[in-house]
Amino acid sequence: MDEMPYVSVLIPVLNEEESLPELHKRLQDTLKGTGKPYELIYINDGSTDKTGILLEAFHTDDKRAKVIEFNRNYGQHMALFAGFEFAKGEIVITIDADLQNPPEEIPKLIEKAEEGFEVVATYRRHRKDSLFRKLPSYIVNKITAKLVGVKLRDYGCMLRAYRRNIVDYMNMCPESSSFIPALANTFAKKITEIEVGHEERKKGISKYSPFRLLRLNFDLMTNFSLLPIQFISMLGVVIAILGLLFAAFLVVRRLMIGPEGEGTFTLFGILFFFIGIQIFALGVIGEYIGRIYQEVRRRPRFIIKKELM
Ligand code: UDP
Ligand code: MG
């Protein structure tokens, strides 16, 4: 029982009382089947349903089930950061609690990690989500691949395996917002991607509203590159040049045809365009400054209310 775990499974949980019993059973069966010492670390991310009670019962029943409980909701990626700090395994697996990622795929991930891959990513075969989720995902995958410099088909799938060294590197990152799959890839040399099944969400509801998804994607963009801000500067330069050319044109026109009387609305049109860009630019700069502010305050990233280890 007290064996050092070789595999750690991290499960962030927000109000998943309906999925938990089945999930726990399937995780236990799958991991027992591998014959390797393991631990299941559930991170209770501020659930308000019976999740807490269920998790405590899992722990009472089997000490390999461990629980970290946050004082409130900090988001899936913070939950995983907390999990990484506690995980003892040589191979660390992350998985969603809603049974959309089948636990039975875990042995495949372990096998790949043992072949020497530092990160085993996955992509969802026949992803069972709405088009409204899949289309933005597709775009974000493309952008992330560019920003991080590692092409993966599916950055959004959280069923993944990481080797110990990658987990140690991630534990050295004290940032207060991040996107874990992208972060891991900035450290790893050997990355592979395998296909896994994907189920529809049968119980409970998705914890990501469109607004939260947007925030997550902002995290992704601003945490991994200065591209948005550099893009704005470039745009500024281009617009300044265009403005200059336009002014020169007006001077020449005035000399040759005389003053323009009815150009007021053209001027408004041009002005509004520039004002729009300026406000947008301010927004982008504000986004970065807000993030710098968050970091310099050095508040704890999350507060752990209870630990069952
Ligand atoms: N989750 C969490 N904290 C959050 C949001 C989600 O711990 O603030 C967990 C959730 O319980 C689930 C996983 O993260 O285990 C993925 O969430 P969900 O299935 O709602 O996301 P989707 O599949 O809709 O992208
Ligand atoms: Mg889900």
Side-chain angles (χ1 to χ4, degrees):
M1 265 299 181
D2 284 339
E3 281 177 294
M4 185 73 169
Y6 174 74
V7 181
S8 303
V9 184
L10 310 183
I11 314 118
V13 199
L14 172 62
N15 296 334
E16 306 281 3
E17 57 180 8
E18 289 158 290
S19 314
L20 277 178
E22 182 184 338
L23 173 80
H24 189 56
K25 172 98 192 14
R26 283 169 62 183
L27 278 172
Q28 281 181 318
D29 290 348
T30 308
L31 283 148
K32 273 180 200 147
T34 65
K36 302 192 160 95
Y38 69 90
E39 61 181 352
L40 304 173
I41 305 183
Y42 290 93
I43 306 101
N44 184 353
D45 187 15
S47 301
T48 49
D49 64 357
K50 290 205 206 70
T51 293
I53 300 168
L54 286 172
L55 293 182
E56 225 173 304
F58 294 166
H59 177 75
T60 315
D61 192 50
D62 180 352
K63 295 289 176 278
R64 281 174 294 194
K66 299 168 183 177
V67 184
I68 302 169
E69 191 178 326
F70 284 169
N71 65 331
R72 64 164 171 89
N73 178 256
Y74 291 88
Q76 184 183 6
H77 292 257
M78 273 310 125
L80 289 176
F81 268 119
F84 285 133
E85 282 179 16
F86 285 86
K88 295 200 190 72
E90 171 54 39
I91 295 171
V92 178
I93 308 236
T94 61
I95 188 170
D96 284 353
D98 59 356
L99 290 168
Q100 285 196 277
N101 308 135
E104 292 72 26
E105 303 277 10
I106 289 178
K108 275 205 275 181
L109 291 167
I110 297 177
E111 200 180 297
K112 277 281 164 197
E114 285 179 335
E115 278 174 29
F117 291 101
E118 297 172 294
V119 171
V120 184
T122 57
Y123 56 91
R124 293 166 273 196
R125 176 181 346 123
H126 312 307
R127 181 170 172 192
K128 301 274 181 13
D129 278 320
S130 64
L131 190 67
F132 159 75
R133 287 296 293 273
K134 284 196 266 193
L135 189 69
S137 250
Y138 175 80
I139 299 167
V140 169
N141 276 325
K142 289 274 175 230
I143 300 176
T144 313
K146 271 265 172 315
L147 296 186
V148 180
V150 182
K151 244 208 179 98
L152 286 185
R153 292 168 62 157
D154 193 355
Y155 267 95
C157 186
M158 296 303 282
L159 175 58
R160 287 158 163 269
Y162 305 96
R163 295 296 301 217
R164 177 83 263 169
N165 61 332
I166 300 296
V167 173
D168 289 340
Y169 294 142
M170 289 203 277
N171 283 337
M172 288 181 216
C173 298
E175 57 225 53
S176 54
S177 66
S178 201
F179 194 88
I180 293 202
L183 184 64
N185 283 3
T186 64
F187 295 127
K189 257 210 314 273
K190 292 196 74 188
I191 303 172
T192 185
E193 218 181 357
I194 61 172
E195 190 181 70
V196 292
H198 191 239
E199 302 285 327
E200 238 168 278
R201 199 186 234 283
K202 296 200 183 71
K203 292 165 187 153
I205 50 161
S206 172
K207 304 303 179 300
Y208 283 103
S209 64
F211 180 69
R212 281 196 83 175
L213 271 180
L214 195 70
R215 294 242 38 100
L216 192 67
N217 290 328
F218 260 130
D219 281 350
L220 188 59
M221 305 276 194
T222 56
N223 272 302
F224 294 96
S225 93
L226 291 175
L227 207 69
I229 221 161
Q230 285 160 348
F231 177 72
I232 296 280
S233 325
M234 292 311 291
L235 201 66
V237 172
V238 171
I239 289 173
I241 292 173
L242 287 178
L244 213 64
L245 289 178
F246 188 61
F249 164 75
L250 286 182
V251 168
V252 173
R253 197 193 127 96
R254 197 186 169 102
L255 290 178
M256 293 174 56
I257 313 178
E260 186 197 26
E262 318 215 23
T264 330
F265 289 106
T266 323
L267 196 63
F268 264 100
I270 296 166
L271 205 63
F272 279 135
F273 175 68
F274 288 134
I275 292 176
I277 298 219
Q278 281 180 6
I279 295 177
F280 175 62
L282 272 180
V284 174
I285 296 167
E287 187 71 33
Y288 279 93
I289 294 182
R291 281 158 194 282
I292 295 169
Y293 177 56
Q294 253 176 15
E295 298 296 340
V296 297
R297 271 191 314 204
R298 291 171 174 273
R299 294 216 180 131
R301 298 192 286 177
F302 41 75
I303 289 170
I304 295 173
K305 193 166 82 178
K306 194 154 75 183
E307 270 172 44
L308 303 173
M309 286 290 148

mmCIF file of all heavy atoms in Angstrom, residues 11-16 43-45 47 73-77 79 95-100 124 127 129 133 156 158 198 201 205-208 212-213, ligand 1:
data_model
loop_
_atom_site.group_PDB
_atom_site.id
_atom_site.type_symbol
_atom_site.label_atom_id
_atom_site.label_comp_id
_atom_site.label_asym_id
_atom_site.label_seq_id
_atom_site.Cartn_x
_atom_site.Cartn_y
_atom_site.Cartn_z
ATOM 1 N N ILE A 11 -7.025 14.436 -11.506
ATOM 2 C CA ILE A 11 -8.392 14.628 -11.991
ATOM 3 C C ILE A 11 -8.979 15.918 -11.402
ATOM 4 O O ILE A 11 -9.370 15.944 -10.243
ATOM 5 C CB ILE A 11 -9.294 13.433 -11.589
ATOM 6 C CG1 ILE A 11 -8.585 12.108 -11.874
ATOM 7 C CG2 ILE A 11 -10.634 13.501 -12.310
ATOM 8 C CD1 ILE A 11 -8.321 11.261 -10.672
ATOM 9 N N PRO A 12 -9.033 17.000 -12.183
ATOM 10 C CA PRO A 12 -9.695 18.214 -11.700
ATOM 11 C C PRO A 12 -11.196 18.010 -11.714
ATOM 12 O O PRO A 12 -11.740 17.475 -12.679
ATOM 13 C CB PRO A 12 -9.304 19.286 -12.724
ATOM 14 C CG PRO A 12 -8.861 18.555 -13.933
ATOM 15 C CD PRO A 12 -8.538 17.143 -13.559
ATOM 16 N N VAL A 13 -11.859 18.397 -10.630
ATOM 17 C CA VAL A 13 -13.298 18.130 -10.530
ATOM 18 C C VAL A 13 -14.066 19.377 -10.107
ATOM 19 O O VAL A 13 -13.765 19.976 -9.080
ATOM 20 C CB VAL A 13 -13.600 17.040 -9.472
ATOM 21 C CG1 VAL A 13 -14.978 16.463 -9.715
ATOM 22 C CG2 VAL A 13 -12.559 15.952 -9.480
ATOM 23 N N LEU A 14 -15.018 19.750 -10.914
ATOM 24 C CA LEU A 14 -15.930 20.829 -10.528
ATOM 25 C C LEU A 14 -17.358 20.320 -10.694
ATOM 26 O O LEU A 14 -17.803 20.084 -11.819
ATOM 27 C CB LEU A 14 -15.684 22.065 -11.406
ATOM 28 C CG LEU A 14 -16.674 23.222 -11.260
ATOM 29 C CD1 LEU A 14 -16.656 23.780 -9.842
ATOM 30 C CD2 LEU A 14 -16.369 24.328 -12.256
ATOM 31 N N ASN A 15 -18.032 20.091 -9.601
ATOM 32 C CA ASN A 15 -19.432 19.642 -9.622
ATOM 33 C C ASN A 15 -19.693 18.472 -10.573
ATOM 34 O O ASN A 15 -20.439 18.596 -11.534
ATOM 35 C CB ASN A 15 -20.360 20.808 -10.004
ATOM 36 C CG ASN A 15 -20.320 21.918 -8.978
ATOM 37 O OD1 ASN A 15 -20.017 21.673 -7.810
ATOM 38 N ND2 ASN A 15 -20.613 23.122 -9.399
ATOM 39 N N GLU A 16 -19.050 17.347 -10.296
ATOM 40 C CA GLU A 16 -19.243 16.178 -11.159
ATOM 41 C C GLU A 16 -19.808 15.009 -10.358
ATOM 42 O O GLU A 16 -19.443 13.861 -10.582
ATOM 43 C CB GLU A 16 -17.924 15.756 -11.828
ATOM 44 C CG GLU A 16 -17.182 16.827 -12.593
ATOM 45 C CD GLU A 16 -17.760 17.098 -13.985
ATOM 46 O OE1 GLU A 16 -18.785 16.482 -14.345
ATOM 47 O OE2 GLU A 16 -17.186 17.948 -14.682
ATOM 48 N N ILE A 43 -8.631 16.803 -7.574
ATOM 49 C CA ILE A 43 -8.545 18.194 -7.122
ATOM 50 C C ILE A 43 -9.946 18.778 -7.171
ATOM 51 O O ILE A 43 -10.511 18.965 -8.258
ATOM 52 C CB ILE A 43 -7.575 19.025 -7.983
ATOM 53 C CG1 ILE A 43 -6.202 18.350 -8.049
ATOM 54 C CG2 ILE A 43 -7.440 20.430 -7.414
ATOM 55 C CD1 ILE A 43 -5.938 17.596 -9.301
ATOM 56 N N ASN A 44 -10.503 19.033 -6.016
ATOM 57 C CA ASN A 44 -11.860 19.565 -5.934
ATOM 58 C C ASN A 44 -11.795 21.091 -6.078
ATOM 59 O O ASN A 44 -11.422 21.807 -5.162
ATOM 60 C CB ASN A 44 -12.477 19.146 -4.597
ATOM 61 C CG ASN A 44 -13.922 19.592 -4.487
ATOM 62 O OD1 ASN A 44 -14.440 20.318 -5.344
ATOM 63 N ND2 ASN A 44 -14.576 19.165 -3.420
ATOM 64 N N ASP A 45 -12.187 21.547 -7.271
ATOM 65 C CA ASP A 45 -12.009 22.951 -7.643
ATOM 66 C C ASP A 45 -13.239 23.780 -7.246
ATOM 67 O O ASP A 45 -13.889 24.367 -8.095
ATOM 68 C CB ASP A 45 -11.760 23.004 -9.163
ATOM 69 C CG ASP A 45 -11.394 24.387 -9.645
ATOM 70 O OD1 ASP A 45 -11.044 25.246 -8.814
ATOM 71 O OD2 ASP A 45 -11.454 24.616 -10.880
ATOM 72 N N SER A 47 -16.205 22.758 -5.774
ATOM 73 C CA SER A 47 -17.522 22.188 -6.085
ATOM 74 C C SER A 47 -18.537 22.560 -5.009
ATOM 75 O O SER A 47 -18.197 22.691 -3.838
ATOM 76 C CB SER A 47 -17.444 20.666 -6.169
ATOM 77 O OG SER A 47 -16.535 20.290 -7.160
ATOM 78 N N ASN A 73 -13.328 28.210 -6.597
ATOM 79 C CA ASN A 73 -13.014 27.776 -7.948
ATOM 80 C C ASN A 73 -11.857 28.578 -8.542
ATOM 81 O O ASN A 73 -11.876 29.803 -8.543
ATOM 82 C CB ASN A 73 -14.279 27.941 -8.813
ATOM 83 C CG ASN A 73 -14.034 27.555 -10.251
ATOM 84 O OD1 ASN A 73 -13.903 28.420 -11.104
ATOM 85 N ND2 ASN A 73 -13.931 26.278 -10.523
ATOM 86 N N TYR A 74 -10.819 27.874 -9.003
ATOM 87 C CA TYR A 74 -9.680 28.549 -9.624
ATOM 88 C C TYR A 74 -9.487 28.153 -11.078
ATOM 89 O O TYR A 74 -8.598 28.657 -11.741
ATOM 90 C CB TYR A 74 -8.381 28.246 -8.873
ATOM 91 C CG TYR A 74 -8.310 28.865 -7.499
ATOM 92 C CD1 TYR A 74 -8.804 28.201 -6.393
ATOM 93 C CD2 TYR A 74 -7.740 30.121 -7.323
ATOM 94 C CE1 TYR A 74 -8.745 28.763 -5.131
ATOM 95 C CE2 TYR A 74 -7.670 30.696 -6.061
ATOM 96 C CZ TYR A 74 -8.178 30.008 -4.981
ATOM 97 O OH TYR A 74 -8.120 30.576 -3.725
ATOM 98 N N GLY A 75 -10.268 27.213 -11.548
ATOM 99 C CA GLY A 75 -10.144 26.793 -12.944
ATOM 100 C C GLY A 75 -9.337 25.519 -13.095
ATOM 101 O O GLY A 75 -8.500 25.191 -12.263
ATOM 102 N N GLN A 76 -9.621 24.820 -14.170
ATOM 103 C CA GLN A 76 -9.044 23.508 -14.432
ATOM 104 C C GLN A 76 -7.514 23.515 -14.462
ATOM 105 O O GLN A 76 -6.874 22.619 -13.919
ATOM 106 C CB GLN A 76 -9.601 23.011 -15.777
ATOM 107 C CG GLN A 76 -9.176 21.632 -16.158
ATOM 108 C CD GLN A 76 -9.718 21.242 -17.529
ATOM 109 O OE1 GLN A 76 -10.322 22.064 -18.239
ATOM 110 N NE2 GLN A 76 -9.502 20.012 -17.910
ATOM 111 N N HIS A 77 -6.936 24.546 -15.068
ATOM 112 C CA HIS A 77 -5.480 24.545 -15.217
ATOM 113 C C HIS A 77 -4.773 24.797 -13.891
ATOM 114 O O HIS A 77 -3.715 24.216 -13.624
ATOM 115 C CB HIS A 77 -5.044 25.523 -16.306
ATOM 116 C CG HIS A 77 -5.478 25.074 -17.668
ATOM 117 N ND1 HIS A 77 -4.617 24.497 -18.580
ATOM 118 C CD2 HIS A 77 -6.699 25.041 -18.245
ATOM 119 C CE1 HIS A 77 -5.301 24.157 -19.664
ATOM 120 N NE2 HIS A 77 -6.565 24.493 -19.493
ATOM 121 N N ALA A 79 -6.045 23.860 -11.044
ATOM 122 C CA ALA A 79 -6.235 22.585 -10.346
ATOM 123 C C ALA A 79 -5.110 21.620 -10.733
ATOM 124 O O ALA A 79 -4.541 20.928 -9.892
ATOM 125 C CB ALA A 79 -7.595 21.993 -10.687
ATOM 126 N N ILE A 95 -6.589 13.814 -16.652
ATOM 127 C CA ILE A 95 -7.816 13.326 -17.295
ATOM 128 C C ILE A 95 -9.011 14.130 -16.778
ATOM 129 O O ILE A 95 -9.008 14.582 -15.631
ATOM 130 C CB ILE A 95 -7.998 11.802 -17.018
ATOM 131 C CG1 ILE A 95 -9.146 11.219 -17.836
ATOM 132 C CG2 ILE A 95 -8.187 11.531 -15.536
ATOM 133 C CD1 ILE A 95 -9.205 9.691 -17.790
ATOM 134 N N ASP A 96 -10.010 14.344 -17.614
ATOM 135 C CA ASP A 96 -11.232 15.038 -17.191
ATOM 136 C C ASP A 96 -12.082 14.101 -16.345
ATOM 137 O O ASP A 96 -12.020 12.882 -16.496
ATOM 138 C CB ASP A 96 -12.065 15.482 -18.402
ATOM 139 C CG ASP A 96 -11.471 16.700 -19.085
ATOM 140 O OD1 ASP A 96 -10.496 17.272 -18.547
ATOM 141 O OD2 ASP A 96 -11.984 17.089 -20.152
ATOM 142 N N ALA A 97 -12.902 14.698 -15.497
ATOM 143 C CA ALA A 97 -13.717 13.876 -14.594
ATOM 144 C C ALA A 97 -15.071 13.514 -15.193
ATOM 145 O O ALA A 97 -15.836 12.765 -14.610
ATOM 146 C CB ALA A 97 -13.930 14.621 -13.274
ATOM 147 N N ASP A 98 -15.398 14.055 -16.344
ATOM 148 C CA ASP A 98 -16.772 13.914 -16.842
ATOM 149 C C ASP A 98 -16.971 12.683 -17.727
ATOM 150 O O ASP A 98 -18.002 12.553 -18.366
ATOM 151 C CB ASP A 98 -17.182 15.175 -17.597
ATOM 152 C CG ASP A 98 -16.261 15.471 -18.764
ATOM 153 O OD1 ASP A 98 -15.276 14.731 -18.928
ATOM 154 O OD2 ASP A 98 -16.528 16.431 -19.497
ATOM 155 N N LEU A 99 -15.964 11.806 -17.771
ATOM 156 C CA LEU A 99 -16.024 10.563 -18.552
ATOM 157 C C LEU A 99 -16.025 10.802 -20.060
ATOM 158 O O LEU A 99 -16.298 9.894 -20.833
ATOM 159 C CB LEU A 99 -17.246 9.717 -18.168
ATOM 160 C CG LEU A 99 -17.170 9.083 -16.780
ATOM 161 C CD1 LEU A 99 -18.515 8.517 -16.365
ATOM 162 C CD2 LEU A 99 -16.116 7.983 -16.748
ATOM 163 N N GLN A 100 -15.705 12.040 -20.479
ATOM 164 C CA GLN A 100 -15.571 12.254 -21.924
ATOM 165 C C GLN A 100 -14.279 11.604 -22.429
ATOM 166 O O GLN A 100 -14.196 11.188 -23.574
ATOM 167 C CB GLN A 100 -15.591 13.755 -22.255
ATOM 168 C CG GLN A 100 -16.988 14.345 -22.149
ATOM 169 C CD GLN A 100 -17.094 15.700 -22.835
ATOM 170 O OE1 GLN A 100 -16.746 16.713 -22.263
ATOM 171 N NE2 GLN A 100 -17.579 15.700 -24.064
ATOM 172 N N ARG A 124 -8.684 13.538 -30.176
ATOM 173 C CA ARG A 124 -9.941 12.841 -29.980
ATOM 174 C C ARG A 124 -10.475 12.298 -31.300
ATOM 175 O O ARG A 124 -10.709 13.051 -32.231
ATOM 176 C CB ARG A 124 -10.941 13.793 -29.342
ATOM 177 C CG ARG A 124 -10.523 14.165 -27.935
ATOM 178 C CD ARG A 124 -11.276 15.326 -27.387
ATOM 179 N NE ARG A 124 -10.663 16.593 -27.747
ATOM 180 C CZ ARG A 124 -10.939 17.744 -27.146
ATOM 181 N NH1 ARG A 124 -11.813 17.770 -26.165
ATOM 182 N NH2 ARG A 124 -10.351 18.856 -27.510
ATOM 183 N N ARG A 127 -14.527 13.466 -32.264
ATOM 184 C CA ARG A 127 -14.824 14.290 -31.102
ATOM 185 C C ARG A 127 -16.319 14.563 -30.982
ATOM 186 O O ARG A 127 -16.950 15.041 -31.906
ATOM 187 C CB ARG A 127 -14.064 15.617 -31.219
ATOM 188 C CG ARG A 127 -14.306 16.506 -30.045
ATOM 189 C CD ARG A 127 -13.388 17.690 -30.037
ATOM 190 N NE ARG A 127 -13.827 18.584 -28.987
ATOM 191 C CZ ARG A 127 -13.392 19.824 -28.847
ATOM 192 N NH1 ARG A 127 -12.504 20.305 -29.679
ATOM 193 N NH2 ARG A 127 -13.842 20.580 -27.879
ATOM 194 N N ASP A 129 -18.443 16.741 -29.616
ATOM 195 C CA ASP A 129 -18.853 18.040 -29.100
ATOM 196 C C ASP A 129 -19.541 18.786 -30.221
ATOM 197 O O ASP A 129 -19.470 18.393 -31.378
ATOM 198 C CB ASP A 129 -17.637 18.834 -28.590
ATOM 199 C CG ASP A 129 -17.228 18.434 -27.174
ATOM 200 O OD1 ASP A 129 -18.123 18.219 -26.351
ATOM 201 O OD2 ASP A 129 -16.016 18.343 -26.918
ATOM 202 N N ARG A 133 -18.242 24.248 -30.537
ATOM 203 C CA ARG A 133 -17.024 24.047 -29.757
ATOM 204 C C ARG A 133 -15.861 23.662 -30.652
ATOM 205 O O ARG A 133 -14.717 24.006 -30.404
ATOM 206 C CB ARG A 133 -17.229 22.928 -28.728
ATOM 207 C CG ARG A 133 -18.108 23.302 -27.566
ATOM 208 C CD ARG A 133 -17.488 24.408 -26.745
ATOM 209 N NE ARG A 133 -16.273 23.987 -26.059
ATOM 210 C CZ ARG A 133 -16.261 23.408 -24.879
ATOM 211 N NH1 ARG A 133 -17.367 23.197 -24.230
ATOM 212 N NH2 ARG A 133 -15.115 23.046 -24.324
ATOM 213 N N GLY A 156 -6.575 20.898 -27.056
ATOM 214 C CA GLY A 156 -7.637 20.986 -26.061
ATOM 215 C C GLY A 156 -7.895 19.703 -25.301
ATOM 216 O O GLY A 156 -8.548 19.710 -24.272
ATOM 217 N N MET A 158 -7.426 17.045 -22.729
ATOM 218 C CA MET A 158 -6.642 17.058 -21.494
ATOM 219 C C MET A 158 -6.249 15.659 -21.027
ATOM 220 O O MET A 158 -5.646 15.519 -19.974
ATOM 221 C CB MET A 158 -7.411 17.786 -20.388
ATOM 222 C CG MET A 158 -7.632 19.252 -20.697
ATOM 223 S SD MET A 158 -6.110 20.173 -20.998
ATOM 224 C CE MET A 158 -5.566 20.378 -19.318
ATOM 225 N N HIS A 198 -13.468 9.393 -27.591
ATOM 226 C CA HIS A 198 -14.092 10.529 -26.932
ATOM 227 C C HIS A 198 -15.578 10.252 -26.817
ATOM 228 O O HIS A 198 -16.197 9.762 -27.753
ATOM 229 C CB HIS A 198 -13.839 11.809 -27.750
ATOM 230 C CG HIS A 198 -14.206 13.063 -27.032
ATOM 231 N ND1 HIS A 198 -15.131 13.953 -27.502
ATOM 232 C CD2 HIS A 198 -13.757 13.574 -25.868
ATOM 233 C CE1 HIS A 198 -15.230 14.975 -26.646
ATOM 234 N NE2 HIS A 198 -14.403 14.765 -25.655
ATOM 235 N N ARG A 201 -20.734 14.066 -23.356
ATOM 236 C CA ARG A 201 -20.955 14.281 -21.925
ATOM 237 C C ARG A 201 -22.341 13.763 -21.595
ATOM 238 O O ARG A 201 -23.338 14.291 -22.067
ATOM 239 C CB ARG A 201 -20.849 15.767 -21.609
ATOM 240 C CG ARG A 201 -20.617 16.037 -20.146
ATOM 241 C CD ARG A 201 -20.663 17.524 -19.904
ATOM 242 N NE ARG A 201 -19.474 18.031 -19.222
ATOM 243 C CZ ARG A 201 -19.248 17.889 -17.924
ATOM 244 N NH1 ARG A 201 -20.097 17.236 -17.176
ATOM 245 N NH2 ARG A 201 -18.159 18.389 -17.383
ATOM 246 N N ILE A 205 -23.172 19.208 -16.762
ATOM 247 C CA ILE A 205 -23.052 20.131 -17.890
ATOM 248 C C ILE A 205 -21.607 20.596 -18.030
ATOM 249 O O ILE A 205 -20.829 20.489 -17.091
ATOM 250 C CB ILE A 205 -23.950 21.382 -17.698
ATOM 251 C CG1 ILE A 205 -23.703 21.993 -16.307
ATOM 252 C CG2 ILE A 205 -25.415 21.035 -17.867
ATOM 253 C CD1 ILE A 205 -24.148 23.419 -16.182
ATOM 254 N N SER A 206 -21.284 21.114 -19.219
ATOM 255 C CA SER A 206 -19.934 21.629 -19.449
ATOM 256 C C SER A 206 -19.675 22.805 -18.511
ATOM 257 O O SER A 206 -20.552 23.620 -18.273
ATOM 258 C CB SER A 206 -19.778 22.084 -20.891
ATOM 259 O OG SER A 206 -18.537 22.743 -21.021
ATOM 260 N N LYS A 207 -18.451 22.854 -17.976
ATOM 261 C CA LYS A 207 -18.119 23.900 -17.018
ATOM 262 C C LYS A 207 -17.539 25.122 -17.718
ATOM 263 O O LYS A 207 -17.120 26.069 -17.092
ATOM 264 C CB LYS A 207 -17.122 23.364 -15.974
ATOM 265 C CG LYS A 207 -17.606 22.123 -15.247
ATOM 266 C CD LYS A 207 -18.940 22.353 -14.554
ATOM 267 C CE LYS A 207 -19.493 21.154 -13.831
ATOM 268 N NZ LYS A 207 -19.761 19.972 -14.616
ATOM 269 N N TYR A 208 -17.484 25.074 -19.052
ATOM 270 C CA TYR A 208 -16.935 26.208 -19.776
ATOM 271 C C TYR A 208 -18.023 26.956 -20.527
ATOM 272 O O TYR A 208 -18.544 26.486 -21.512
ATOM 273 C CB TYR A 208 -15.860 25.745 -20.759
ATOM 274 C CG TYR A 208 -14.553 25.435 -20.077
ATOM 275 C CD1 TYR A 208 -14.152 24.135 -19.846
ATOM 276 C CD2 TYR A 208 -13.732 26.469 -19.656
ATOM 277 C CE1 TYR A 208 -12.964 23.853 -19.208
ATOM 278 C CE2 TYR A 208 -12.536 26.197 -19.014
ATOM 279 C CZ TYR A 208 -12.163 24.891 -18.789
ATOM 280 O OH TYR A 208 -10.980 24.632 -18.154
ATOM 281 N N ARG A 212 -15.843 31.943 -20.537
ATOM 282 C CA ARG A 212 -14.678 31.296 -19.921
ATOM 283 C C ARG A 212 -13.745 30.733 -20.975
ATOM 284 O O ARG A 212 -12.531 30.760 -20.817
ATOM 285 C CB ARG A 212 -15.138 30.163 -19.002
ATOM 286 C CG ARG A 212 -15.624 30.661 -17.673
ATOM 287 C CD ARG A 212 -15.684 29.534 -16.691
ATOM 288 N NE ARG A 212 -14.386 29.294 -16.088
ATOM 289 C CZ ARG A 212 -14.213 28.417 -15.113
ATOM 290 N NH1 ARG A 212 -15.203 27.716 -14.662
ATOM 291 N NH2 ARG A 212 -13.012 28.234 -14.598
ATOM 292 N N LEU A 213 -14.335 30.219 -22.047
ATOM 293 C CA LEU A 213 -13.498 29.681 -23.125
ATOM 294 C C LEU A 213 -12.661 30.795 -23.733
ATOM 295 O O LEU A 213 -11.485 30.613 -24.027
ATOM 296 C CB LEU A 213 -14.380 29.068 -24.213
ATOM 297 C CG LEU A 213 -14.750 27.618 -24.047
ATOM 298 C CD1 LEU A 213 -15.613 27.179 -25.214
ATOM 299 C CD2 LEU A 213 -13.502 26.750 -23.969
HETATM 300 N N1 UDP B 1 -13.127 21.716 -14.335
HETATM 301 C C1 UDP B 1 -12.541 22.219 -13.178
HETATM 302 N N2 UDP B 1 -12.619 23.543 -12.912
HETATM 303 C C2 UDP B 1 -13.240 24.424 -13.755
HETATM 304 C C3 UDP B 1 -13.802 23.918 -14.946
HETATM 305 C C4 UDP B 1 -13.729 22.562 -15.210
HETATM 306 O O1 UDP B 1 -11.956 21.467 -12.397
HETATM 307 O O2 UDP B 1 -13.291 25.606 -13.435
HETATM 308 C C5 UDP B 1 -13.038 20.273 -14.636
HETATM 309 C C6 UDP B 1 -14.356 19.568 -14.899
HETATM 310 O O3 UDP B 1 -14.940 19.094 -13.718
HETATM 311 C C7 UDP B 1 -13.918 18.441 -15.808
HETATM 312 C C8 UDP B 1 -12.792 19.057 -16.606
HETATM 313 O O4 UDP B 1 -12.316 20.149 -15.830
HETATM 314 O O5 UDP B 1 -13.394 17.354 -15.071
HETATM 315 C C9 UDP B 1 -13.231 19.503 -17.989
HETATM 316 O O6 UDP B 1 -14.365 20.350 -17.889
HETATM 317 P P1 UDP B 1 -15.604 20.208 -18.892
HETATM 318 O O7 UDP B 1 -15.872 18.772 -19.173
HETATM 319 O O8 UDP B 1 -16.732 20.991 -18.321
HETATM 320 O O9 UDP B 1 -15.031 20.911 -20.175
HETATM 321 P P2 UDP B 1 -15.413 20.547 -21.694
HETATM 322 O O10 UDP B 1 -15.298 19.070 -21.854
HETATM 323 O O11 UDP B 1 -16.804 21.027 -21.874
HETATM 324 O O12 UDP B 1 -14.379 21.282 -22.467
#
